[in-house]
Amino acid sequence: MSGDLVAVWEVALCDGVHRIEFEHGTTTGKRVIYIDGKEVIRRDWMFKLVGKEAFHVGGTDTKATINIEAVSGFAYEYTLEINGQSLKKYMENRSKVTSTWLLNLDGIDCRVVLEKDTMDIWCNGQKMETAGEFVEDGTETHFSLGDHDCCIKAVSSGKRRDGIIHTMLVDGMEISDAVNFDTKRCEDGCTFPG
């Protein structure tokens, strides 16, 4: 990568945390987008230095857009939108519709994400095969991680405001969730290199 790197974002999606890097050559008109270190878009000799670059990120082809705006003179501001929302707003909404657990199994770090609306479960970027069943106090969604039996239980909190509580069990032991993992990591959305 060159010295034209102007913005870096980390975006947590169901299939993992993706690093988006953006190069903007204000003298050459160059725009380059990297996702997880791989170049996905390159435009050279763009005469218009402001505008938008749309692309997809992650295994779920989530729509992303980088907005390039002039602030003053030759200073520019770069913002990232995910699915049409600012990164901050997207991450706030995402924390409401997903639950995330971080654990180490047999020496391997695992990031397990539950999509509450579809009950899809992802582990380290792979959608897991699951089997759901109704139980006396809610539902259980079973899956395996290596040789480990895993289950995500969904039970009513009994309070309308709190809704449904999701708990993950591995070999019968409860795992603490990483409730704010995604939002803490991306709180201001963008870090600048250097």
Side-chain angles (χ1 to χ4, degrees):
M1 282 186 230
S2 71
D4 292 331
L5 185 64
V6 293
V8 177
W9 296 272
E10 288 197 350
V11 180
L13 301 175
C14 291
D15 66 339
V17 178
H18 299 280
R19 183 179 175 92
I20 299 171
E21 297 169 290
F22 182 57
E23 290 183 8
H24 187 219
T26 55
T27 54
T28 63
K30 175 180 75 169
R31 297 180 189 177
V32 184
I33 298 172
Y34 298 90
I35 299 175
D36 300 327
K38 181 182 174 198
E39 183 179 305
V40 294
I41 290 180
R42 174 178 289 272
R43 301 196 199 295
D44 290 312
W45 303 107
M46 299 281 295
F47 293 106
K48 189 174 180 187
L49 295 177
V50 295
K52 298 180 180 216
E53 286 295 335
F55 57 100
H56 291 88
V57 63
T60 55
D61 278 337
T62 302
K63 183 181 175 199
T65 305
I66 295 174
N67 297 303
I68 308 156
E69 298 176 20
V71 218
S72 65
F74 285 101
Y76 296 90
E77 181 177 84
Y78 308 94
T79 56
L80 179 67
E81 292 179 358
I82 303 293
N83 285 340
Q85 301 175 323
S86 72
L87 180 60
K88 184 176 181 182
K89 186 73 172 166
Y90 174 79
M91 296 312 288
E92 287 170 0
N93 289 339
R94 185 178 146 58
S95 68
K96 295 174 188 171
V97 296
T98 62
S99 289
T100 303
W101 293 269
L102 304 174
L103 57 147
N104 188 296
L105 285 177
D106 303 324
I108 299 169
D109 289 330
C110 298
R111 180 177 181 272
V112 177
V113 178
L114 166 69
E115 291 180 316
K116 295 176 186 177
D117 54 348
T118 61
M119 293 304 288
D120 287 338
I121 297 173
W122 297 76
C123 180
N124 294 346
Q126 297 236 241
K127 190 172 176 182
M128 306 303 295
E129 289 224 9
T130 61
E133 68 176 315
F134 290 100
V135 293
E136 186 176 319
D137 55 349
T139 63
E140 292 182 355
T141 305
H142 299 272
F143 61 102
S144 296
L145 293 176
D147 294 330
H148 299 277
D149 293 322
C150 302
C151 171
I152 294 181
K153 296 182 77 157
V155 296
S156 172
S157 65
K159 299 175 186 165
R160 187 175 191 192
R161 181 168 166 79
D162 295 338
I164 296 174
I165 297 172
H166 295 90
T167 307
M168 182 173 171
L169 303 170
V170 175
D171 297 330
M173 295 184 58
E174 186 173 331
I175 305 296
S176 300
D177 60 344
V179 174
N180 291 320
F181 170 75
D182 294 337
T183 51
K184 278 184 187 171
R185 186 167 193 160
C186 301
E187 200 166 299
D188 22 19
C190 179
T191 57
F192 292 94

